[in-house]
């Protein structure tokens, strides 16, 4: 799994002209899933995101986690994170998991994140044409690939 985590002041996802989910202070997560990913990857990634110290403490130092800062989370499926650009000018998405593999892992990740965070998690809709809005706070943007966890 690849996750692009952006610390936000606010973020929302709109589908067919209607806001499906919105958050205030927290993280907006773009999540890319490939066939080799597992439930263990989503559990590890969720714990990493919830406990990563990317929020300011009282001195303005990034020393607090999403959990400690009482932040919110918005998760958006993003198969294009697995784009291969080695050949030609048209990216290949062959590494991205097909829906039968990706949807259960996406749903499982959202559930795991909500459990680890102790609050509901906003999300987009797998496979939908989504409009994502955010105000990146910092900016703070971090990329995590579960293949690099060791």
């Amino acid at each position: 799994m690849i996750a692009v985590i952006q610390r936000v002041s606010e973020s929302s996802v709109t589908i067919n002209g209607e806001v499906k989910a919105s958050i205030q202070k927290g993280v907006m997560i773009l999540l890319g899933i490939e066939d080799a990913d597992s439930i263990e990857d989503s559990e590890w990634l969720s714990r990493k995101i919830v406990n990563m110290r990317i929020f300011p403490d009282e001195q303005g130092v990034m020393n607090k986690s999403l959990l400690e800062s009482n932040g919110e989370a918005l998760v958006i499926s993003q198969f294009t994170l697995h784009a291969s650009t080695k050949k030609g000018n048209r990216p290949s998405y062959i590494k991205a998991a097909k829906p039968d593999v990706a949807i259960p892992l996406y749903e499982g990740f959202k559930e795991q994140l909500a459990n680890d965070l102790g609050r509901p998690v906003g999300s987009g809709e797998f496979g939908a044409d989504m409009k994502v809005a955010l105000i990146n706070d910092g900016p703070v943007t971090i990329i995590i690939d579960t293949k690099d966890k060791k």
Side-chain angles (χ1 to χ4, degrees), residues 12 26 30 34 41 43 47 55 58 77 84 88 97 102 109 121 128 139:
S12 65
L30 300 174
E34 65 180 18
D41 289 316
E43 291 171 348
R47 283 191 306 273
F55 290 87
E58 294 71 27
S77 62
S84 173
F109 174 78
V121 169

Side-chain angles (χ1 to χ4, degrees), residues 44-63:
W44 179 86
L45 184 59
S46 175
R47 283 191 306 273
K48 190 72 161 174
I49 291 170
V50 166
N51 292 299
M52 195 169 20
R53 298 181 336 180
I54 61 171
F55 290 87
D57 61 15
E58 294 71 27
Q59 287 76 41
V61 177
M62 286 197 293
N63 218 9

Side-chain angles (χ1 to χ4, degrees), residues 51-130:
N51 292 299
M52 195 169 20
R53 298 181 336 180
I54 61 171
F55 290 87
D57 61 15
E58 294 71 27
Q59 287 76 41
V61 177
M62 286 197 293
N63 218 9
K64 287 190 172 184
S65 68
L66 181 62
L67 194 58
E68 293 168 323
S69 66
N70 202 30
E72 298 180 282
L74 177 63
V75 182
I76 308 295
S77 62
Q78 185 77 34
F79 76 93
T80 61
L81 292 176
H82 287 289
S84 173
T85 58
K86 291 181 182 179
K87 287 177 55 181
N89 294 320
R90 181 183 304 234
S92 168
Y93 304 106
I94 197 155
K95 281 182 61 179
K98 303 294 182 267
D100 61 322
V101 171
I103 291 172
L105 286 171
Y106 174 67
E107 296 297 329
F109 174 78
K110 293 187 313 184
E111 186 176 318
Q112 183 68 49
L113 189 63
N115 288 338
D116 290 343
L117 195 52
R119 64 173 29 191
V121 169
S123 69
E125 183 179 309
F126 190 90
D129 180 21
M130 297 176 274

